[in-house]
Amino acid sequence: MAEKTNVQIARSWAAVTFKKWRAEIKRLKIGKTGTLNSSFQAFVTAESGGDLTKIKMLYAYYGKFVDMGVGRGKKLGSGNSRLVNKLLGTKPRKEKVWYSKIIAKEVYILAQIIQENAGNKSVSVLDKITGTVRLEM
């Protein structure tokens, strides 16, 4: 089995994460145009700024507000008062958490995969060493 690089792992991970986001967006019935779904992009860079691998994930900016349940004048933490909504003739906004729960889990999974991959590479290197190793002090 060929060993995967961190860049290959990161690209595969981003594709799986996007698939999960799309499923959650569909389940929560977010959007009508598909703009959020089609806005997902991932850029993976190796050895960027001292990082082993850097992953930049982009999506339409308004998706952030849907996740938090804010927008159209509704501020974060302002509550959904029935009386205020009735007086203003507005409907309460409900957060539709499509991003934050999934990304928290997926980042943890990515860390585990990269850790396991590094461990496998170390074992592979040790398996290839033959003969005697001599340390002199």
Side-chain angles (χ1 to χ4, degrees), residues 48-80:
S48 171
D51 294 333
L52 211 58
T53 302
K54 184 177 263 184
I55 306 169
K56 186 183 284 188
M57 300 175 86
L58 307 174
Y59 57 87
Y61 189 60
Y62 76 87
K64 170 180 165 178
F65 302 117
V66 174
D67 187 77
M68 294 187 301
V70 298
R72 292 190 192 146
K74 178 81 170 159
K75 295 178 183 175
L76 186 61
S78 62
N80 281 325

Side-chain angles (χ1 to χ4, degrees), residues 3-16 44 53 55 109-118 121:
E3 292 178 4
K4 284 190 164 188
T5 66
N6 284 345
V7 171
Q8 291 169 321
I9 290 169
R11 285 187 179 132
S12 298
W13 172 83
V16 169
V44 180
T53 302
I55 306 169
I109 290 169
L110 176 62
Q112 296 295 334
I113 292 169
I114 288 176
Q115 181 181 14
E116 185 177 320
N117 189 50
K121 285 180 183 177

Side-chain angles (χ1 to χ4, degrees), residues 84-104:
V84 171
N85 285 314
K86 188 173 183 178
L87 290 171
L88 296 175
T90 59
K91 293 181 181 179
R93 291 186 69 82
K94 191 174 181 183
E95 61 186 41
K96 294 183 179 182
V97 184
W98 65 271
Y99 165 80
S100 52
K101 285 183 183 178
I102 291 173
I103 197 66

Side-chain angles (χ1 to χ4, degrees), residues 126-133:
L126 288 174
D127 287 343
K128 292 177 185 174
I129 295 175
T130 57
T132 305
V133 177

